[in-house]
Amino acid sequence: MKATLRYLAGLAGPSGFGSNSTAEQVTEDCCSLLPSNLTALITGATSGIGAETARVLAKRGVRVVIGARDLRKAKEVREKIQKESPHAEVILLEIDLSSFASVQRFCSEFLALELPLNILINNAGMYSQNLEFSEEKIEMTFATNYLGHFLLTKMLLEKIIDTAKKTGIQGRIINVSSVIHSWVKRSCFSFNDMLCGKNYNGTRAYAQSKLATILHVKEVARQLKERNANVTINAVHPGIVKTGIIRAHKGLITDSLFFIASKLLKSISQVCKYFSAHLVRTQNQFHMS
């Protein structure tokens, strides 16, 4: 109960930050201590949480690679970032996480750049009220939110491990999850029902994709520990914020609930502090090693 009250009040914890702190505040004191040549790869950084995370990391001197399905929107994000931070290095690469071929092409293009990879933020996600399929005939939400990031992480994992080994800077993999994963019960984790238009439930499909993401994080964490790799992976529930995915739940009931809860919702800048905190820990770990 105390923790909930502290969260609602925005009171600072042991770290000196609270739920009302922003990404800029969390990273403000670390920018002069950051190692040079850090590279962060962020999927879905054309709006919302991803775009704000890219902006703050670029402002702190991190090279940012944006993986985006819509390069036009990605260019707009880059222009805004470079207008605020003229020396920011922002690289755009096209990726459709629902397509295995696109993910493989993206990874080949990124690896060809021969850049280090210190931070991977698997942020992109989608929600659909209607049953859709990817080009591989997989339910679209599961393909985009889970399988695409699964393949991306698998193909770039050795690069992250190698970068950490060469630089001594602990690598970070962050998967954006959701507390909605807890809505999936053992009896409800069913792929067959998702493939039937009559039984399709967009919220359940989204919840299942996020549960799969968390299970993936647990398994990769086990493998990294077994290999004694200097890389960590975490699943992060950013809190409730009205991003593009939430806006997809349009309707009288949803809009009414968000109006009532508006005082409890966090801004995108406040939500992004969770990802920025990993950057702070990276630079602290570097200077302590």
Side-chain angles (χ1 to χ4, degrees), residues 195-249:
L195 302 181
C196 177
K198 293 182 179 179
N199 296 327
Y200 184 78
N201 182 297
T203 300
R204 184 170 64 185
Y206 183 79
Q208 289 188 161
S209 73
K210 291 303 180 179
L211 176 57
T213 294
I214 292 176
L215 296 175
H216 175 226
V217 167
K218 287 179 175 291
E219 174 58 21
V220 174
R222 184 193 65 79
Q223 294 177 11
L224 290 170
K225 183 177 181 180
E226 190 174 78
R227 295 179 60 177
N228 198 30
N230 189 23
V231 177
T232 64
I233 181 169
N234 291 278
V236 177
H237 167 56
I240 303 174
V241 57
K242 202 167 187 179
T243 61
I245 288 179
I246 293 298
R247 286 192 293 272
H249 293 70

Side-chain angles (χ1 to χ4, degrees), residues 85-261:
S85 307
H87 300 295
E89 185 176 356
V90 183
I91 300 170
L92 310 180
L93 293 175
E94 185 176 12
I95 185 172
D96 179 354
L97 283 154
S98 72
S99 165
F100 295 158
S102 179
V103 173
Q104 291 170 331
R105 183 170 55 250
F106 171 88
C107 290
S108 296
E109 292 175 355
F110 173 77
L111 293 173
L113 296 175
E114 298 185 347
L115 295 172
L117 182 55
N118 307 95
I119 305 168
L120 171 61
I121 302 178
N122 291 320
N123 164 75
M126 70 160 289
Y127 167 86
S128 177
Q129 293 180 328
N130 302 313
L131 178 61
E132 301 177 63
F133 293 96
S134 70
E135 61 185 39
E136 285 89 7
K137 308 303 179 185
I138 300 170
E139 190 273 322
M140 186 66 80
T141 299
F142 195 77
T144 303
N145 295 357
Y146 171 61
L147 290 178
H149 284 126
F150 174 93
L151 181 58
L152 179 69
T153 302
K154 181 178 178 63
M155 294 188 69
L156 297 181
L157 189 60
E158 293 305 319
K159 183 66 175 181
I160 300 173
I161 293 174
D162 185 60
T163 298
K165 185 176 181 179
K166 288 180 177 178
T167 63
I169 304 172
Q170 189 177 72
R172 302 278 175 170
I173 304 172
I174 305 167
N175 283 17
V176 179
S177 185
S178 171
V179 71
I180 291 177
H181 83 273
S182 63
W183 294 6
V184 181
K185 307 301 180 183
R186 287 181 180 271
S187 59
C188 295
F189 205 123
S190 172
F191 294 102
N192 291 332
D193 286 347
M194 286 198 302
L195 302 181
C196 177
K198 293 182 179 179
N199 296 327
Y200 184 78
N201 182 297
T203 300
R204 184 170 64 185
Y206 183 79
Q208 289 188 161
S209 73
K210 291 303 180 179
L211 176 57
T213 294
I214 292 176
L215 296 175
H216 175 226
V217 167
K218 287 179 175 291
E219 174 58 21
V220 174
R222 184 193 65 79
Q223 294 177 11
L224 290 170
K225 183 177 181 180
E226 190 174 78
R227 295 179 60 177
N228 198 30
N230 189 23
V231 177
T232 64
I233 181 169
N234 291 278
V236 177
H237 167 56
I240 303 174
V241 57
K242 202 167 187 179
T243 61
I245 288 179
I246 293 298
R247 286 192 293 272
H249 293 70
K250 289 183 178 180
L252 177 61
I253 296 177
T254 303
D255 291 344
S256 298
L257 287 174
F258 273 100
F259 175 77
I260 294 171

Side-chain angles (χ1 to χ4, degrees), residues 19-93:
S19 61
N20 290 334
S21 300
T22 66
E24 284 202 37
Q25 292 170 339
V26 169
T27 60
E28 186 174 8
D29 295 331
C30 79
C31 55
S32 61
L33 302 175
L34 282 176
S36 60
N37 206 35
L38 284 180
T39 300
L41 194 164
I42 310 172
T43 65
T46 56
S47 64
I49 295 172
E52 176 66 6
T53 301
R55 182 188 73 82
V56 174
L57 292 183
K59 186 173 183 178
R60 301 313 182 200
V62 178
R63 178 191 297 110
V64 175
V65 179
I66 294 177
R69 184 174 58 180
D70 189 330
L71 287 181
R72 180 185 61 81
K73 290 183 178 180
K75 289 177 182 177
E76 293 175 356
V77 170
R78 180 171 63 183
E79 289 175 0
K80 290 179 181 179
I81 290 174
Q82 293 180 331
K83 184 176 182 180
E84 179 183 7
S85 307
H87 300 295
E89 185 176 356
V90 183
I91 300 170
L92 310 180
L93 293 175

